[in-house]
Amino acid sequence: MPKAMPRVLGAATAAYSVAIMVRPVLLAKPCGLTHADDTVPAATALLIRAIGARDAAIGTAMILAPDSSSLKTATACRVAADLSDAALFGTALTGWSRRLKVAGFAVAWAALCAAAAARD
């Protein structure tokens, strides 16, 4: 049986992903993508929900992977998604501190998932 840590990270990924699908402000606000009153523009909410759906699918794949090889593949998808998010958010968001915070979180999550997969 594959080790539990990648599955735990998959569950955390899926939970956060569902949360941002329900409440896009959870991602929009740290990214500086809200209006002054913290409402989220409709187009921004749509894209955040798409990111959430992608990540919920990956997280679920990490949870349900039937074997070690499948789990490593799902986790590699998680790492790739986080690194691409880091590159995009790290270059496109306004404000250096915001870019650093959001991209840094994505890189940290990618590193945690990669380390968990490597231990398996």
Side-chain angles (χ1 to χ4, degrees):
M1 180 66 132
K3 296 199 188 275
M5 186 51 90
R7 294 183 192 282
V8 169
L9 296 173
T13 294
Y16 177 73
S17 300
V18 169
I20 66 170
M21 290 169 63
V22 173
R23 295 197 59 225
V25 70
L26 296 172
L27 179 58
K29 190 169 182 174
C31 292
L33 300 174
T34 59
H35 293 299
D37 65 355
D38 287 338
T39 58
V40 181
T44 301
L46 172 67
L47 293 175
I48 288 172
R49 287 184 173 111
I51 291 169
R54 173 201 72 187
D55 291 349
I58 295 170
T60 301
M62 291 169 69
I63 296 166
L64 299 178
D67 55 52
S68 216
S69 178
S70 299
L71 181 57
K72 284 188 180 198
T73 299
T75 304
C77 290
R78 172 77 264 132
V79 171
D82 285 328
L83 292 177
S84 67
D85 289 349
L88 293 168
F89 288 126
T91 58
L93 293 179
T94 59
W96 171 248
S97 65
R98 183 175 291 132
R99 286 192 308 264
L100 185 62
K101 177 176 61 174
V102 174
F105 183 83
V107 168
W109 196 255
L112 184 60
C113 289
R119 272 184 24 148
D120 185 17

